[in-house]
Structure formats: structure tokens, C-alpha cells
Amino acid sequence: MQPRRQPPPAPRSGPGNPRPTPLLALLLLLAPVVAPAGSSGAENPAQPQDAGVPRRLLQQAARAALHFFNFRAGSPSALRVLAEVQEGRAWINPKEGCKVDVVFSTERYKPESLLQEGEGRLGKCSARVVFKNQKPRPAINVTCTRLIEKKKRQQEDYLLYKQMKQLKNPLEIVSIPDNHGHIDPYLRPIWDLAFLGSSYVMWEMTTQVSHYYLAQLTSVRQWKTNDDTIDFDYTVLLHELSTQEIIPCHIHLVWYPGKPLKVKYHCQELQTPEEASGTEEGSAVPTELSNF
Amino acid sequence: MRWTLFIGALIGSSICDREKFFGDQVFRINVRNGDEISKLSQLVNSNNLKLDVWKSLSTFNRPVDVLVPSVSLQAVKSFLRSQGLEYAVAIEDLQIYHEMDNIASDFPDLVRRVKIGHSFENRPMYVLKFSTGEGARRPAIWLNAGIHSREWISQATAIWTARKIVSDYQRDPAITSILEKMDIFLLPVANPDGYVYTQTQNRLWRKTRSLNPGSSCVGADPNRNWNASFAGKGASDNPCSEVYHGPHANSEVEVKSVVDFIQKHGNFKCFIDLHSYSQLLMYPYGYSAKKAPDAKELDKVARRAAKALASVSGTEYQVGPTCTTVYPASGSSIDWAYDNGIKFAFTFELRDTGTYGFLLPANQIIPTAEETWLGLKTIMEHVRDNLY
């Protein structure tokens, strides 16, 4: 991935300036932050502000790890989102990148039950994430405790698979969610699968500084297959938080319950599309990456 | 529940008819001669644009009012421009302005709708002034919303809050005592052009709609345009960027209108800016990692406010200075306010934390507004008790 922007400086190793030692890693210890699991958190006084390593870096690592975890699990009905970063350490080499060990809690990704946070269904993950300056695809090693019983997960995946197979084509969809945040129940499987596919993209694109959310699907197309796999193309809009940019990506994925997800994608590295003219200034830098 | 219906329900049955005009505009077109009349007839008679003549073509030198549905806006504008026909947008198309007007006329002793300026595309900028006292320049609180147009929960929360203030005054001791001592100014739509654009063209538009000479990209980020380390870190000089700071500080008329008003007033003590999303409550600075002189106090107040907010539905907010909590950002509203003597300067990033992001479903509007209200009240109570 070729960044258009100035590559961000490597995060500081602590108060004061990073020492310019090229090879030696700087080991930093963080006081572990206590996070009550699943509580309303009313008394939780949020993380201390003068932590040696910016909390942000730990969050970046946790996010990258979770995207990778979701992708590798390949299960659209068992997606997880970040609940809280609990503790972590980082080794920072300003010239090369950084290595982060992080422990974090997760919640089940279930948009319609967002308000029931105190359900107690928190999983715990620990990960080692290596960010290389100016290179995509942070290296990830992550393990998580089980949130959903395996059999249940398989059943839900298979149900989702059947729902997708029953969708009539061509799908006449404008956006998911619509502009008012609504997702039709019969379209939920599409959204979940798109989220899974986008996890692959977001894993690859997350860096020490950039992080992404899936904002909206703007087009969906399902292909007939000779085997029983689900094959579809869609366009997603990713929202990158530090630059506030909206990035359109074309994603093509192939999925079958229990099998690894296959993803191919191409994100447009274009600035804000403007209203009238069809031609954008700057060049589209195709990022044709896949695991096919 | 759709957002448009929700706002409609908030506004009341008298405004229900307005639903079908949501996003539509009335164009007042000047016709100066027979040639122009025939061009205009062409336009009006074309079936696919679905135009509706309100005041008809009769003679020259009389303007013609035509209702243009939102889907045809672009086509009509292009046509008029290419034919050299003069026009102006006659009726503002924002439901939210009607609601503000209703609130002011329902509670004339407490509220006034005040025009503080206009947008790039010449839409009025309206604030609601809540005041129980006579006399000029009572200490005041500024509530800013909708500066980034795609953050719809911000404008929605603001208008709910306006209704809440009027209905709770003289019922709730907290807001009553706040208003006894101070005025509240509420700007629900700080970026009206952007807001209309999100309803008609691009749901994820963030910036203003000002034109950038020499660029095909439109708009500047109004929250990088304030005169606080303008063009510093965390802003871009590229007009195509979502965080383009603009050619100079206060170049965006929407920002300048607020700055001029606040400076002329001279007695603001608190400035709160509502955004989404991420669930954060932040205080200065964004433009630098340096600690604000009042950071300790602001942090304490913010934590109390976050706790009050969480007490409603368990929604957790993180608290801290902008630069280290989210990212460096120069030219922001609260940094400007703080550096200009408005000590209690806070930014709320409202729900959620990324599941729906900007596209927060309508059924979360009231819960969000209700919890945010407790956070706002906590801050305002502290200001009331710590006037300087």
C-alpha cells in the first residue's frame, strides 16, 4: 500500500523524545488498567492520561488483532468488536515500527442489541501485533477465549448461508444500512458477511495511526456458483478516523460455512468525491490485494 | 423509525405536510424577456423534473416561483445557469428551522430565535437564545451542534435539548437555577449547507460547501477553520481533504458568524460542541499536547459529566484532552473558545463507537439525547457555581 500522505512519525516512546537508537528495542511497562467486565462502568475512572505508551497505540493493536481474528475465524455470525483494552506493552523502534503485546476484552457484534451492554458476554483476547512503518498487513498472533459454543456458531453460520442462497437476484439494494441507519432484517446476512470481508481489508490497512470502521455498503451483487459457495461483490465505504476520510472499496469474496474466507479487494485512494465532475484529481492507487 | 419521520413527530402534526417537501427548494426565477420566458417554459414543462409552478409566468420582470423537488435540484440549477437565467432560493427547506421557530413562538418569554449570520449558500444561521433576564450580556453558555453535517445525532440531540430546556424550566430546579443566572445560546445547525447536502446528495458529507478556487473539490472543515493554531497539526492544506482547514482562519462564513457573535457579546463562560461518533468527552487542547492551565478542573468536571451520562443507559464515555484522546486537531472550535477566555470548553463525541457510526438509527436519538442532557447539565451546573 503506497501512502499518499506523509507517513506518520512513529509514536513516541514516552515523555520526552524518542532516543534514536536504531536497533535496540525500548521496553516499556505499563501499569495494567483495571476494567470491570460488562459493568455499566459508572465508577470506572477511565485510563490514566500519563501512561508511558499512548493508550492509542494499544487500541490500534487491539483493533488490528480483532479484525484479523474475525477474518481468520471466518464466521459471520460470530463477529466480535472491541470492548476494552486492559493492558499492554510496546517495543518501539522509530525507524522500523513497533511490536505491541496487548490484552483486551471483546463483545459480540450484534447491532440491534447495542443497548444491552451489561450482558456479561465478554470474551478475552491476547495478541502480539507488529506494525512495520509504511507497510501494510501488521503481523498478528492472537488468541481469544470462546464466546459462543462451537456447535451454535456452526448452526448460525449455516442458517445465514441458507438465507443468502435464498436471496433473489439481482439484489436491488441501494445502501445498507440506509441513510437513516436502518437494516432490513432480510438483508442482515449480507451485512454480516460484508463485515466479515471488510475485516480482512481493515486488518491489512490498520497501522499505528490509521483505523477504520465500516460505514455503509453501497452496492451488492451475488454470483451464481458451480459449487455451493457464496460468491459476491460489493462496494463498502470505510471511514478512517484520524483523517476522517471515506474510502470506497470493492470487495469480492467467496465463502462457505466452516471454510476459510477468500477475499480480493481494491480500495480507491481518492480524496473526497465531489459533486459534479466525474474525474477526480490525483490518481487512483489500486491496492489489488487478495488471499486467493 | 426513519429520521425524517422522527423529526416530523418531534415537530408536531402541523408540520406533517412538510414531510413531502423535505429537501425540496423553491426557486425564484427572474424572467426579463420573452426569450427567457420560453426557456423557463421548456424547463417547467419537462416531465421528468416534476417541477411545480407556485407563482406563474405572466409578464416579464416578475419573478416566478417554482418548487423543485430535491432530486431535480442539480438538473434545474445547471439548466438555469447554462441559459443565463437569474434565480434565488426563496424558501429555506430545513424542517429544523421551523421547529426552532415553533419553540420560540410557544415560549416567547423564555426563547427567541436569533439570526446570527448566513451560510455560504446563503442559508440563515439561527440560534435559540434562552434567557430569563433583562439586561445585556448576562454570563452565557454556547451549545454548538451540526458543524460536521454527517453527524446527524448532533443536530437531533440539539433540537431535542431545546425542547427539553423549555419543558423543564420551572419544573427542574437545576435548569431553572442555571437560567436564573445565565443565558443559553443553542446553534443546532452550525453547517446548514452541509446538512442539506447530506439529505439530498451525499449522506457522508462533512465539510461546508464553499467553493475552492483552482480546485474541483468543495468545502473546508469548519472545525479546522477557527483561529487557534490555524493550519497546524491535524489539519490539511489540500482542499480535497476532509480536514482541509480553508484558505485562512474564519474563511468559512459559518465559522465567522459564530466568532463575531461571541466576541461581540463578550461574556461567554462555556462553549460545548456536539459531534459524533466515538463516545468521548474532551477538553482543550487539540492543537498541541501541552496541558491547558485549567486541565485539572476541566478533567474533573468532564468525569462527573460522563458519570452522569452513564447513569442513564450505561453508555460509557472516555474523557481527556483532545490531542491525546483522539488525535491532534488544530483550528478547532473549543481550542479557540478556550484561548479566548471561555474556560469551560468541551467537545462531546456522541454515540456510538463504530457499529453504526454516522448512520445511527433513529431509535437511538432519544436515548442519546436523554443521557447527553445529564452530561450537559452537570457541566452547566458547575459553570453556574463557578462563574468567573
Side-chain angles (χ1 to χ4, degrees):
Chain A
M1 180 166 78
Q2 296 133 52
R4 273 172 307 114
R5 296 175 276 275
Q6 274 279 326
R12 294 172 162 228
S13 57
N17 298 316
R19 295 199 294 282
T21 45
L23 292 174
L24 284 179
L26 301 161
L27 174 64
L28 301 142
L29 287 173
L30 256 199
V33 178
V34 177
S39 78
S40 66
E43 297 88 44
N44 182 23
Q47 283 68 12
Q49 293 152 48
D50 295 318
V53 170
R55 228 176 94 263
R56 271 210 310 274
L57 181 57
L58 299 184
Q59 280 185 321
Q60 292 300 105
R63 288 172 179 133
L66 203 47
H67 287 315
F68 179 75
F69 178 83
N70 282 327
F71 158 68
R72 205 190 51 192
S75 173
S77 53
L79 297 163
R80 303 198 197 195
V81 287
L82 181 63
E84 214 147 8
V85 170
Q86 288 169 333
E87 54 181 292
R89 311 190 286 183
W91 294 257
I92 299 172
N93 181 329
K95 275 197 181 169
E96 296 198 359
C98 57
K99 178 166 72 177
V100 184
D101 282 351
V102 62
V103 177
F104 56 95
S105 61
T106 63
E107 272 167 3
R108 210 175 156 186
Y109 176 73
K110 267 180 84 183
E112 69 271 13
S113 61
L114 199 63
L115 300 176
Q116 293 146 36
E117 276 176 36
E119 265 185 320
R121 284 206 272 176
L122 284 188
K124 191 157 165 172
C125 300
S126 67
R128 167 161 289 186
V129 177
V130 180
F131 291 113
K132 285 218 176 82
N133 289 347
Q134 295 154 62
K135 290 212 169 76
R137 278 188 151 216
I140 316 250
N141 243 309
V142 57
T143 46
C144 297
T145 58
R146 183 165 305 163
L147 254 189
I148 306 157
E149 209 235 307
K150 184 172 180 183
K151 193 150 179 240
K152 179 155 192 262
R153 180 169 56 83
Q154 286 173 333
Q155 281 170 351
E156 293 191 8
D157 275 351
Y158 193 66
L159 184 62
L160 194 146
Y161 167 81
K162 285 211 300 202
Q163 286 171 322
M164 301 247 0
K165 278 292 183 189
Q166 278 159 19
L167 290 169
K168 55 177 167 62
N169 274 303
L171 297 159
E172 273 156 37
I173 294 157
V174 185
S175 308
I176 308 174
D178 67 16
N179 285 345
H180 306 268
H182 177 65
I183 303 177
D184 260 322
Y186 88 97
L187 296 177
R188 262 311 293 278
I190 298 181
W191 173 259
D192 288 342
L193 200 55
F195 189 96
L196 178 62
S198 303
S199 297
Y200 178 78
V201 182
M202 293 191 286
W203 155 48
E204 293 213 334
M205 290 170 61
T206 300
T207 67
Q208 297 101 310
V209 171
S210 310
H211 72 276
Y212 299 83
Y213 295 97
L214 177 55
Q216 200 175 32
L217 296 196
T218 54
S219 81
V220 184
R221 188 182 172 157
Q222 187 169 3
W223 300 94
K224 272 187 143 52
T225 57
N226 291 329
D227 51 25
D228 287 323
T229 56
I230 299 264
D231 185 322
F232 75 107
D233 268 326
Y234 50 91
T235 307
V236 301
L237 297 178
L238 299 183
H239 172 223
E240 200 287 303
L241 226 85
S242 65
T243 58
Q244 289 294 330
E245 297 293 334
I246 301 292
I247 298 159
C249 300
H250 267 100
I251 302 183
H252 178 212
L253 67 76
V254 174
W255 178 67
Y256 189 83
K259 294 266 159 66
L261 182 72
K262 292 195 174 135
V263 183
K264 210 162 161 176
Y265 74 92
H266 166 173
C267 290
Q268 288 174 55
E269 293 235 12
L270 292 171
Q271 301 274 13
T272 321
E274 73 276 25
E275 63 174 285
S277 111
T279 58
E280 320 299 339
E281 63 176 66
S283 54
V285 180
T287 329
E288 188 87 31
L289 292 166
S290 77
N291 70 339
F292 274 66
Chain B
M1 186 166 38
R2 292 175 66 82
W3 275 62
T4 51
L5 285 179
F6 172 82
I7 299 283
L10 260 190
I11 288 171
S13 56
S14 60
I15 225 76
C16 272
D17 274 356
R18 190 78 185 145
E19 284 282 16
K20 63 179 187 281
F21 299 116
F22 190 66
D24 302 343
Q25 290 180 4
V26 174
F27 280 39
R28 179 154 287 172
I29 304 167
N30 250 336
V31 283
R32 292 165 294 195
N33 53 51
D35 191 35
E36 294 197 338
I37 286 194
S38 74
K39 284 178 184 170
L40 188 53
S41 303
Q42 236 181 65
L43 181 71
V44 167
N45 291 325
S46 68
N47 258 338
N48 55 333
L49 291 175
K50 305 226 184 321
L51 303 182
D52 189 357
V53 180
W54 277 14
K55 207 162 80 181
S56 62
L57 290 150
S58 48
T59 62
F60 322 141
N61 288 320
R62 283 275 176 83
V64 177
D65 285 357
V66 180
L67 176 66
V68 181
S70 61
V71 292
S72 304
L73 287 176
Q74 274 310 107
V76 171
K77 280 185 190 173
S78 304
F79 179 88
L80 294 174
R81 283 188 199 133
S82 68
Q83 302 297 325
L85 287 167
E86 270 178 26
Y87 71 94
V89 177
I91 294 183
E92 75 240 14
D93 54 339
L94 294 173
Q95 277 182 325
I96 222 169
Y97 284 170
H98 287 270
E99 173 61 354
M100 290 172 73
D101 199 28
N102 289 341
I103 294 174
S105 42
D106 288 349
F107 296 88
D109 293 333
L110 182 58
V111 196
R112 276 181 51 224
R113 191 181 77 164
V114 177
K115 180 173 174 179
I116 64 163
H118 60 86
S119 68
F120 182 81
E121 291 175 350
N122 218 15
R123 292 185 173 84
M125 303 261 301
Y126 288 131
V127 301
L128 287 176
K129 176 184 179 184
F130 301 85
S131 180
T132 61
E134 300 297 326
R137 313 293 185 256
R138 296 192 342 142
I141 295 168
W142 185 275
L143 301 179
N144 211 54
I147 203 171
H148 289 141
S149 36
R150 61 192 181 198
E151 299 166 8
W152 282 9
I153 187 61
S154 169
Q155 299 94 332
T157 296
I159 207 71
W160 181 97
T161 303
R163 274 283 170 202
K164 184 67 171 168
I165 294 174
V166 297
S167 64
D168 272 16
Y169 175 63
Q170 287 179 332
R171 294 212 178 112
D172 170 29
I175 191 61
T176 306
S177 66
I178 289 164
L179 284 170
E180 227 86 281
K181 279 189 160 180
M182 316 179 59
D183 292 344
I184 298 175
F185 289 82
L186 173 66
L187 175 61
V189 190
N191 178 6
D193 298 346
Y195 190 47
V196 171
Y197 200 71
T198 59
Q199 288 159 2
T200 55
Q201 298 283 353
N202 180 351
R203 175 62 179 83
L204 296 176
W205 188 260
R206 165 186 171 89
K207 302 188 286 182
T208 59
R209 292 294 301 166
S210 57
L211 298 174
N212 293 307
S215 172
S216 52
C217 290
V218 177
D221 184 342
N223 208 27
R224 299 291 183 277
N225 190 244
W226 301 69
N227 195 10
S229 188
F230 175 80
K233 284 195 297 183
S236 170
D237 60 1
N238 180 348
C240 299
S241 165
E242 293 281 33
V243 294
Y244 172 51
H245 47 58
H248 57 85
N250 302 327
S251 62
E252 303 313 287
V253 63
E254 297 83 355
V255 170
K256 185 169 194 316
S257 304
V258 175
V259 169
D260 288 349
F261 186 90
I262 290 181
Q263 282 183 329
K264 187 161 173 227
H265 182 283
N267 203 18
F268 277 87
K269 303 299 178 193
C270 175
F271 184 104
I272 300 176
D273 202 3
L274 301 183
H275 289 258
S276 77
Y277 57 92
S278 283
Q279 290 173 203
L280 306 169
L281 179 44
M282 302 181 289
Y283 49 86
Y285 288 106
Y287 67 69
S288 145
K290 75 180 180 188
K291 235 177 154 175
D294 302 288
K296 215 165 171 185
E297 182 184 0
L298 296 180
D299 192 83
K300 261 177 54 187
V301 178
R303 280 177 204 285
R304 271 207 325 267
K307 188 171 167 179
L309 188 154
S311 72
V312 179
S313 299
T315 307
E316 288 183 40
Y317 270 57
Q318 284 168 33
V319 171
T322 308
C323 190
T324 49
T325 305
V326 59
Y327 43 59
S330 60
S332 73
S333 61
I334 68 163
D335 284 358
W336 171 83
Y338 185 76
D339 280 347
N340 279 269
I342 303 175
K343 175 157 75 153
F344 299 107
F346 297 96
T347 299
F348 280 74
E349 290 280 355
L350 302 171
R351 289 196 196 179
D352 58 14
T353 52
T355 300
Y356 283 98
F358 301 123
L359 307 184
L360 197 70
N363 64 10
Q364 289 199 44
I365 297 177
I366 293 179
T368 301
E370 284 184 335
E371 67 194 12
T372 305
W373 175 238
L374 290 206
L376 291 174
K377 264 205 300 186
T378 304
I379 294 172
M380 295 195 292
E381 284 175 300
H382 182 90
V383 178
R384 171 200 69 199
D385 298 339
N386 292 273
L387 283 175
Y388 55 92

